[in-house]
Amino acid sequence: MNEILSARLKGTLLAARHYRRRLERDRFEGVVVICYHAVRPDEWPAGAMAFEGLHVRASELEAHCRFLQSTCHPITIAQWRAALDGGPPLPDRPVLVTFDDGYRTVATVAQPILERFGIPAVLFACSSPIEERRLFWYDAIARRSGESEVQRLKQVPFALWLAATCGAAHTAVSDDDPHAPLRIDEVRRLAQSGFEIGGHTATHPVLARADRDRQREEIVRNQQSIEAWVGRPPAAFAYPNGERSDYSVETMSILRELSYDMAFTTEPGFASGERRLECPRFLMMAGVSEAELGHRLCYSWRR
C-alpha cells in the first residue's frame, strides 16, 4: 500500500474513532516515552532549518497532545519512579513526553500547547550552549558544512570530534534564531511551571567515544549547572544521540556514582522500568499526523 492510500486509511480510522475505541480497552505493556526535540511555528518556511525533521510543527504537537489527552494517561517521571519503588501503580496507558537538547521553542511554542492540554513533560537539557548563548555544535556544523558532516563527526574518535567542533562551540546565537537554545531564566521558568529538568551532558558528545574522565566531566558539569539553575538535581538523564553504541557500561556506572537512577535511550520500545538506566523511547519526527500517532500507539510500536 502506498503512503497516500495508507494515510487516507488511517485518517478514516481516526475519524471513525477506531483508534480511540481500541485504546479505551487497552493496557500498555509499559510506558510509552515519546522523544521530541523542538517545535517550530507553522508559519516558519520549510527547508530553512538544519535537521528540520527534529523540529515538529506546532499544529502537529497540538494534534498529538489532543489525542494523548483523550486516549492515554500522561505521567511524570516522579509518578513513574514512585510506582517502580512500590508506590501507587501507573494507569493503564501511561505516556511520558520528553524533549531533548534544550531548544528555545520548547518554552516559546511547546509549553503553551502542553499546558492547554494538561500534559506534563521532561526537558533533557544540554547545558553549555544554554550558558554560553551559542548554537548546539551539530547545528553550527550543519550550517557550515552540511548535515552529512555532522553524521561523519559522530563516528570519529573523540579527540578528532573535539578538534573539529572547537570552532563551532563558539558560534554565538541570537534569541530569535530558529536554532536558539533556551536561556537560563527560561529553563528556570519551565521548572517552576511543572517541567521536570533532566541531564543531557554539557556539550552533547558521543559519550562512548570519550574516556571515563571526560565522560564524567561532561555529566558532572551538566548536573551541577542544572541544579544551580532550578535548585534541585536533574530528574533523570538522556544519552546524547541515544543509540546503544552511543553510551557504554562505563557511562552507566558513572551515572550510578552520581546518583542517577533513570536514564533514557532513543532505542524504540515500551519502557518497563526493569532496566532503569536504559529506558527506551519512541523518537518523534516532523510529519506525524494525529492519525499516524494513533496507529503507532495501537499497532506499529508493538511490533
Side-chain angles (χ1 to χ4, degrees):
M1 184 183 298
N2 65 38
E3 291 184 7
I4 294 176
L5 288 178
S6 176
R8 288 177 179 171
L9 174 59
K10 292 169 185 175
T12 300
L13 292 174
L14 177 72
R17 301 180 66 84
H18 168 79
Y19 297 127
R20 294 172 187 266
R21 290 196 301 272
R22 168 77 167 77
L23 288 168
E24 283 171 0
R25 59 178 185 270
D26 199 4
R27 182 180 181 87
F28 290 165
E29 60 194 71
V31 178
V32 171
V33 188
I34 301 178
C35 175
Y36 293 94
H37 284 76
V39 185
R40 56 192 159 119
D42 287 357
E43 62 269 21
W44 284 5
M49 302 182 70
F51 301 105
E52 196 163 75
L54 294 175
H55 299 255
V56 303
R57 294 283 187 186
S59 56
E60 292 169 342
L61 178 64
E62 185 167 4
H64 297 172
C65 288
R66 180 171 55 246
F67 189 82
L68 293 173
Q69 190 271 339
S70 63
T71 62
C72 299
H73 304 113
I75 63 168
T76 66
I77 284 180
Q79 286 176 276
W80 190 4
R81 182 180 283 114
L84 291 172
D85 292 340
L90 293 178
D92 288 347
R93 295 176 297 282
V95 174
L96 180 66
V97 172
T98 71
F99 291 86
D100 280 9
D101 299 343
Y103 285 98
R104 190 163 185 253
T105 56
V106 174
T108 60
V109 184
Q111 184 191 18
I113 296 171
L114 293 163
E115 285 188 342
R116 190 157 65 249
F117 289 95
I119 294 179
V122 188
L123 168 69
F124 291 110
C126 180
S127 51
S128 288
I130 293 172
E131 290 173 326
E132 299 166 13
R133 306 308 305 138
R134 60 175 173 80
L135 288 173
F136 297 102
W137 74 264
Y138 35 87
D139 290 330
I141 292 291
R143 284 187 180 181
R144 187 179 71 196
S145 306
E147 294 180 10
S148 61
E149 177 64 6
V150 174
Q151 301 304 333
R152 186 188 74 81
L153 289 174
K154 289 181 180 180
Q155 308 302 319
V156 302
F158 184 81
L160 294 179
W161 170 84
L162 189 61
T165 60
C166 184
H170 297 94
T171 305
V173 63
S174 63
D175 283 351
D176 60 358
D177 190 298
H179 294 96
L182 287 152
R183 300 193 307 260
I184 292 174
D185 63 295
E186 290 171 327
V187 177
R188 189 175 294 119
R189 284 199 294 272
L190 285 173
Q192 292 169 346
S193 72
F195 260 75
E196 294 173 298
I197 310 299
H200 199 44
T201 71
T203 66
H204 207 284
V206 175
L207 287 168
R209 300 190 181 280
D211 62 31
R212 182 182 178 86
D213 287 345
R214 190 58 189 250
Q215 288 192 56
R216 197 176 197 283
E217 178 190 352
E218 282 280 342
I219 297 168
V220 168
R221 283 172 53 201
N222 179 244
Q223 185 182 48
Q224 291 174 342
S225 292
I226 290 171
E227 186 163 7
W229 298 345
V230 305
R232 55 184 178 272
F237 186 84
Y239 302 103
N241 300 323
E243 296 182 6
R244 188 62 188 85
S245 60
D246 297 322
Y247 63 96
S248 64
V249 172
E250 197 165 57
T251 313
M252 291 188 283
S253 172
I254 295 168
L255 292 178
R256 291 189 191 96
E257 289 175 9
L258 297 174
S259 299
Y260 279 107
D261 64 348
M262 296 189 78
F264 292 81
T265 74
T266 56
E267 296 289 340
F270 285 75
S272 67
E274 291 180 1
R275 297 175 64 87
R276 290 201 196 188
L277 293 183
E278 291 185 286
C279 296
R281 291 186 292 173
F282 295 105
L283 182 61
M284 185 60 65
M285 304 292 287
V288 175
S289 66
E290 182 178 358
E292 177 61 31
L293 176 61
H295 195 83
R296 292 182 184 188
L297 285 165
C298 290
Y299 303 109
S300 303
W301 281 345
R302 299 165 190 253
R303 294 173 186 167

